[in-house]
Amino acid sequence: MTLSPARVPTTGVRRLTATLYGYAFLDDFVLLYPVYALLFSDTGLSVWQISTLFALWSVTGVLLEVPSGAWADAVSRRLLLWLGPLLTAVGFGLWMLVPSYWAFALGFVLWGARGALGSGALEALVYDELDRLGAAGRYARVMGRARAAGLVAVMAATGLAGPLFAWGGYPAVGAASVLACVLAAATATAFPEHRTPTAGSDGWASTLRAGLADARGDRSVRGALLLVPAVAAVWGALDEYTPLLVRGTGVADETVPYLLLVIWVGATAGSLLAGPAERLGTAGLAGLLTVAALALATGAAAGSVPGIALVAVAFGGFQLAEVLADTRLQQRIDTTGRATLTSVAGLGTELATVLVYTGYAAIGTTTGHGTAFAVFAVPYLLTALLLAAGRPLRSRWGIP
């Protein structure tokens, strides 16, 4: 009898995490990831045009991020999680059928909408379900493993992209990517969801107002909201240029996916360290960002295959810091507007990402990809400096 009460939440946690890990894997098992920047380049797009596509991707997220988070709080989070991958599947299909700048642009709009639908909804659903089961303390570990599952999927897709591309070119990797999106949507229908959505015709608007009011009124929430984009935006944008960075080392195109695997091994290791690293304080997080920033600058500037290993170390550090920043945010907000506030943090990330794309286009065009990566290590050093500067300065910015 002493064991039976613990079995119910354990079973619930296992069901939730199994669905989450499967969803995270399928959602990132996209064989187009390591080659779509090459597809754009081979279609004749310039660095500026490619950067405008990435910026359009982020602008779509900016416009939809907070409304979709409020929608997730007002209706069903699970609904948004299965709808999103279907939008991406349509976008990938367009890329294969009519490869052109405007088809790529429409595909990125759909992909951006998918990102907005899932951002906030996934974190909120997982945290609330864990909290319901008395396991909210496992959030960092669970989300770290989910990110790792997604990164393992990226590595698996990257490993398969090479031979599949050699066999069937872009159409083959595109078709496989569409299938992965459809399977991700099917998996999302298995997520448990026990919360009661907001009732009433003005539920969406009232949820949005309440969430934003919480952010304005609570300094610790506001600081956690600022920390997420400070950690996530730059490396998330640089990720899109990694195939071009790797190609710049002089390797053959067929080798690019395999060197990208090195980078994602580093990021995966960072995700798996999220549970133990949750004990890191503010000073520890500052040290982590400093080491990662220096590794990024050194590795990218080297312009060589060994330098890619240092970029992998950097991405591991940034991935770990992102999970820790998200955990801080979830611990500080009320359950009522969790998806809304998480989406507010996502909005900040998207806005900062647009700035990175714009800056990268200017720097990368004139100096090359290695120098551009090295320059964008500076924002992380500044964030680390702010975190390490002491409580009075952090308090001024509302950073816990």
Side-chain angles (χ1 to χ4, degrees):
M1 293 179 65
T2 57
L3 295 177
S4 58
R7 290 178 180 172
V8 175
T10 298
T11 302
V13 169
R14 286 177 178 172
R15 177 194 171 192
L16 172 65
T17 55
T19 305
L20 174 64
Y21 299 155
Y23 179 78
F25 182 90
L26 290 168
D27 195 40
D28 279 324
F29 188 64
V30 178
L31 275 71
L32 274 170
Y33 277 161
V35 298
Y36 68 69
L38 306 181
L39 169 63
F40 302 156
S41 181
D42 291 343
T43 305
L45 273 61
S46 66
V47 173
W48 270 104
Q49 287 177 309
I50 294 173
S51 293
T52 61
L53 290 176
F54 294 155
L56 178 62
W57 190 9
S58 289
V59 168
T60 303
V62 166
L63 296 176
L64 298 180
E65 183 75 40
V66 176
S68 67
W71 188 23
D73 282 331
V75 289
S76 168
R77 294 163 180 170
R78 180 171 54 200
L79 168 66
L80 273 61
L81 291 176
W82 67 255
L83 178 62
L86 296 181
L87 297 179
T88 310
V90 174
F92 289 161
L94 286 173
W95 289 3
M96 296 303 103
L97 293 174
V98 282
S100 62
Y101 178 84
W102 296 109
F104 298 147
L106 180 55
F108 269 124
V109 169
L110 293 172
W111 201 351
R114 178 263 173 277
L117 292 178
S119 175
L122 180 64
E123 293 87 349
L125 184 148
V126 172
Y127 192 93
D128 281 351
E129 288 297 317
L130 287 173
D131 190 41
R132 184 185 68 85
L133 296 167
R138 302 186 191 182
Y139 178 79
R141 182 183 300 109
V142 167
M143 289 306 293
R145 290 176 179 176
R147 300 285 178 89
L151 292 170
V152 168
V154 170
M155 291 189 289
T158 300
L160 290 173
L164 188 60
F165 181 79
W167 173 74
Y170 292 118
V173 295
S177 300
V178 170
L179 177 60
C181 292
V182 173
L183 292 175
T187 302
T189 62
F191 273 116
E193 187 176 21
H194 293 85
R195 60 181 290 274
T196 301
T198 303
S201 58
D202 65 339
W204 181 93
S206 62
T207 300
L208 178 57
R209 288 194 298 270
L212 295 177
D214 288 343
R216 289 193 301 269
D218 190 326
R219 174 173 290 185
S220 67
V221 172
R222 189 166 63 250
L225 287 173
L226 291 172
L227 184 60
V228 171
V231 170
V234 174
W235 87 279
L238 293 180
D239 167 36
E240 307 307 326
Y241 298 97
T242 51
L244 300 176
L245 177 70
V246 172
R247 177 188 262 181
T249 64
V251 300
D253 284 354
E254 293 78 8
T255 308
V256 170
Y258 301 108
L259 287 178
L260 290 177
L261 282 174
V262 176
I263 296 176
W264 294 115
V265 166
T268 303
S271 291
L272 293 175
L273 290 172
E278 191 177 4
R279 295 188 293 270
L280 284 176
T282 301
L285 182 57
L288 173 65
L289 290 175
T290 300
V291 171
L294 294 176
L296 176 66
T298 304
S304 63
V305 173
I308 298 301
L310 283 176
V311 176
V313 171
F315 273 39
F318 297 143
Q319 175 69 80
L320 174 56
E322 183 176 340
V323 175
L324 296 179
D326 172 54
T327 302
R328 287 188 175 203
L329 175 62
Q330 300 305 326
Q331 291 171 344
R332 284 167 172 77
I333 59 181
D334 187 88
T335 58
T336 304
R338 186 175 303 282
T340 302
L341 288 174
T342 305
S343 289
V344 170
L347 173 62
T349 301
E350 294 294 348
L351 288 171
T353 299
V354 172
L355 295 178
V356 175
Y357 289 146
T358 304
Y360 192 99
I363 298 170
T365 299
T366 58
T367 66
H369 297 289
T371 302
F373 269 68
V375 168
F376 280 106
V378 174
Y380 285 111
L381 293 174
L382 295 176
T383 300
L385 179 62
L386 179 60
L387 288 171
R391 183 175 297 275
L393 184 56
R394 293 199 309 269
S395 178
R396 180 181 302 175
W397 288 87
I399 297 176

